[in-house]
Amino acid sequence: MVFQKPVWKKFVLFVCSLAFWLLFWHLAAVITNIPILLPTPVSVAKTLFSLLPDGSFWLTVFSSLLRVTAGFFLGLFLGAILALAVSFIPLLESFFSVPISCLKTAPVASFIILVNLWLQTEQVTVLISFLMVLPLAYRSLLEALRARDEQMLIMAKHYRLTRLQIFLHLSLPSMRAALKSVCSVGMGFAWKAGVAAEVIVLVPHSLGEQLYDAKVFLETEQLFAWTIVVILVSLLLEKGLALLFRKEGGR
Amino acid sequence: MIFVSDLFFSYDGEKELFGGLSFSLDSPGTLAFLGPSGCGKSTLMGLLLGELSPKKGRVVCSPAPVPLFQEDRLFPHLSLRKNLLLPLHDIDPKIAEKRVLEALDRVGLLSEADKKASDCSGGMKRRASLARALAFLPESGGILLLDEPFAGVDDGNKQKILSYLNGLQKKHTICLITHDHQDAAFLNAKNIYLGGR
């Protein structure tokens, strides 16, 4: 039997850990005493709260979020389609292996610069998020399809189940389990790469543009505040997806 | 019709099984395959189903047999009724539903038709798998391959099913893989001993 810590204990531990690192940050800022390099958490918090009532803050957050999630879901969708295609026609795996390997191994910065030559700046974020998620979704879902119960496939053959029945009752349940990890890891990938693309190509009304401006104008407090926004949005997305899958699993 | 002639089989690097086994049955009735664990009973099922190829000899089964595997192989997220209905996709839905309910009734599971397979006990799953095979069997002239059909089934239901199989063997060929000589005797089966005996 596995004993789990009660929720309140986890929460207390989290708060203590957060308090420790905030204190560490504060002391480091006080000791160095160069706000342009390391502002205190209090001044960063003040900057962050000053951003919240501004409509353009929310516009920035939601437009970045929209572009990244669009790329994420496109990558997930196409990854699933490719994985299914390969599971039906195994020869296709060799055909897809070259571009998928390139996407997995090439530095994301190269893609961002290259894609910027071809597309409008807003579209770069979508495409980069898409390219980050596509190989991950493809590989994970293909492995899940290959891990389908061989004995059930033999049964399906002898009871002459249709391809659609096999897909609905054998392939989809296998893919659903893999989808959880793809979403959790892939959303993080898409978000980080998407914001990096926004910084490099300077997408208007984006988190990346705000980070870049803060750096150029040496507004370190703003830089920290926007970074915290990026982290919070990423955490919210991750928790939201986890909650979605928990609800799905509970059905 | 089942025709097996001069059968030899071996898994890679392992000892040879069956030693030239031959048997045939071209009219309805029951063949019982008996023998100790590891003698190749389930391997023989794989050969009869065409999942394995003999090293030497011939295996002919016509029409394609309807198997009851040693494992239950039900979709856990579906009800027993839905599990049984899936293979009957190419017949009229009303007739399919009737066949499914009759088959569930024969194995004593009619009242559990809408229970999810994952919520069923091992014995219930076994009986549901058997019901699926019975529902899928053609009207007559079919071949039913049963690999240890009564594992985990209580005595009451076992007797009920055996009685039904006894009637069924007048129209179909039943291949029964079992440890239990009494089951074979009940069905007045032609016994085939595997494992050199």
Side-chain angles (χ1 to χ4, degrees), chain B residues 8-53:
Chain B
F8 286 88
F9 179 84
S10 69
Y11 292 103
D12 288 343
E14 288 185 23
K15 70 166 189 173
E16 231 163 39
L17 293 168
F18 309 124
L21 179 71
S22 296
F23 59 87
S24 67
L25 190 67
D26 55 7
S27 58
T30 299
L31 286 171
F33 301 100
L34 300 147
S37 297
C39 68
K41 295 195 292 288
S42 295
T43 303
L44 185 62
M45 181 166 177
L47 287 159
L48 292 171
L49 281 173
E51 288 301 325
L52 300 169
S53 302

Side-chain angles (χ1 to χ4, degrees), chain A residues 200-216:
Chain A
I200 293 174
V201 304
L202 294 179
V203 179
H205 309 298
S206 71
L207 288 168
E209 186 193 41
Q210 298 298 335
L211 287 170
Y212 182 83
D213 286 350
K215 179 213 140 191
V216 168

Side-chain angles (χ1 to χ4, degrees), chain A residues 151-152 154-155 157-162 165 169-170 173, chain B residues 49 51 67 71 73-75 77 86-87 89 132-133 136:
Chain A
Q151 293 187 332
M152 288 297 280
I154 292 173
M155 180 281 293
K157 186 175 96 183
H158 289 289
Y159 281 91
R160 290 183 224 135
L161 300 193
T162 61
Q165 286 176 327
H169 301 297
L170 206 53
Chain B
L49 281 173
E51 288 301 325
E71 316 78 20
R73 305 194 193 185
L74 296 168
F75 292 108
H77 58 289
L86 284 183
H89 52 82
R132 178 174 59 189
F136 191 58

Side-chain angles (χ1 to χ4, degrees), chain A:
Chain A
M1 187 186 271
V2 179
F3 290 97
Q4 286 192 327
K5 285 178 193 162
V7 176
W8 68 267
K9 267 192 180 176
K10 277 188 185 173
F11 182 71
V12 169
L13 278 174
F14 170 75
V15 171
C16 290
S17 165
L18 186 67
F20 171 81
W21 289 110
L22 283 175
L23 187 66
F24 179 81
W25 173 10
H26 185 76
L27 288 174
V30 170
I31 291 165
T32 51
N33 199 22
I34 312 172
I36 206 163
L37 288 183
L38 187 63
T40 63
V42 178
S43 60
V44 171
K46 273 184 192 163
T47 310
L48 182 59
F49 283 116
S50 73
L51 291 172
L52 295 181
D54 191 351
S56 68
F57 167 81
W58 296 104
L59 178 72
T60 302
V61 172
F62 281 107
S63 44
S64 286
L65 193 60
L66 190 69
R67 283 186 284 262
V68 169
T69 45
F72 170 80
F73 283 111
L74 279 173
L76 195 63
F77 181 70
L78 192 68
I81 297 287
L82 294 185
L84 276 169
V86 170
S87 79
F88 281 116
I89 311 163
L91 268 179
L92 285 177
E93 191 179 11
S94 308
F95 182 71
F96 293 139
S97 68
V98 175
I100 292 290
S101 297
C102 285
L103 288 177
K104 266 181 76 180
T105 50
V108 65
S110 311
F111 276 118
I112 294 169
I113 294 162
L114 192 62
V115 167
N116 193 26
L117 296 175
W118 303 332
L119 297 176
Q120 289 179 352
T121 49
E122 289 90 347
Q123 294 164 342
V124 174
T125 316
V126 179
L127 191 66
I128 290 301
S129 301
F130 164 80
L131 291 176
M132 287 298 103
V133 176
L134 177 68
L136 178 78
Y138 166 74
R139 284 267 167 233
S140 305
L141 296 176
L142 184 59
E143 273 171 29
L145 283 169
R146 284 188 173 149
R148 284 179 305 184
D149 189 337
E150 192 64 31
Q151 293 187 332
M152 288 297 280
L153 285 170
I154 292 173
M155 180 281 293
K157 186 175 96 183
H158 289 289
Y159 281 91
R160 290 183 224 135
L161 300 193
T162 61
R163 281 192 166 196
L164 181 65
Q165 286 176 327
I166 294 172
F167 172 73
L168 290 176
H169 301 297
L170 206 53
S171 307
L172 265 190
S174 296
M175 289 170 85
R176 196 176 295 155
L179 209 56
K180 190 180 172 182
S181 65
V182 171
C183 285
S184 170
V185 179
M187 187 50 99
F189 272 11
W191 185 243
K192 282 182 212 163
V195 172
E198 288 176 345
V199 173
I200 293 174
V201 304
L202 294 179
V203 179
H205 309 298
S206 71
L207 288 168
E209 186 193 41
Q210 298 298 335
L211 287 170
Y212 182 83
D213 286 350
K215 179 213 140 191
V216 168
F217 299 114
L218 291 176
E219 290 168 337
T220 317
E221 283 154 0
Q222 291 253 355
L223 185 63
F224 272 74
W226 283 108
T227 306
I228 288 170
V229 171
V230 171
I231 293 169
L232 287 177
V233 173
S234 179
L235 282 174
L236 279 175
L237 282 173
E238 199 182 305
K239 295 286 173 200
L241 283 171
L243 200 68
L244 197 74
F245 278 107
R246 204 176 302 158
K247 274 191 178 171
E248 179 73 15
R251 272 181 206 171

